[in-house]
Amino acid sequence: MAEPEFTARGVRIARWPRSLTRAGEVRIEDGRLALLTSYGSEIDSAPVGAVRAGRPWFAKSDEAVATVNGTRYRLTLHQDGDGDGTGDSAGSGRFLAALKRAAGRR
């Protein structure tokens, strides 16, 4: 099994208006984006070419929005794990950069 191109643990994954998990995992591996619960169950997955992601102007710096299979998810990628939302944008920025690299959009 190959090393994932991107993985983030402790991610809050929400589908408007409710939270699905507060300690989930986002993984980009073998050309697919997978959203997982804290127990490892798959919430949703899709080929990276079919995923739309970005950081809205109104979101906190550690948040990103991803549309997977037509469903919008709000991802909060805490850099330091404290969950107060005051971290820098490194977590969400790394996620967006890895998604673009995996999809071949440079």
Side-chain angles (χ1 to χ4, degrees):
M1 190 167 183
E3 184 73 22
E5 292 135 39
F6 176 83
T7 185
R9 292 192 170 107
V11 178
R12 181 184 176 118
I13 302 173
R15 181 174 49 207
W16 281 272
R18 64 175 257 209
S19 176
L20 299 175
T21 182
R22 292 183 355 181
E25 184 176 354
V26 175
R27 182 181 294 171
I28 299 173
E29 186 174 22
D30 297 329
R32 290 188 68 82
L33 170 73
L35 304 176
L36 307 171
T37 66
S38 56
Y39 297 109
S41 300
E42 187 175 285
I43 296 171
D44 208 345
S45 72
V48 292
V51 175
R52 291 182 50 213
R55 191 177 318 139
W57 64 270
F58 55 83
K60 295 178 185 172
S61 62
D62 61 350
E63 292 182 348
V65 174
T67 303
V68 181
N69 294 327
T71 305
R72 289 188 334 174
Y73 296 96
R74 187 177 68 221
L75 309 174
T76 306
L77 299 108
H78 301 296
Q79 186 66 13
D80 53 3
D82 61 3
D84 64 359
T86 60
D88 58 5
S89 62
S92 61
R94 282 188 329 110
F95 164 68
L96 294 172
L99 190 63
K100 287 180 183 177
R101 262 194 324 272
R105 298 182 303 234
R106 295 186 187 264

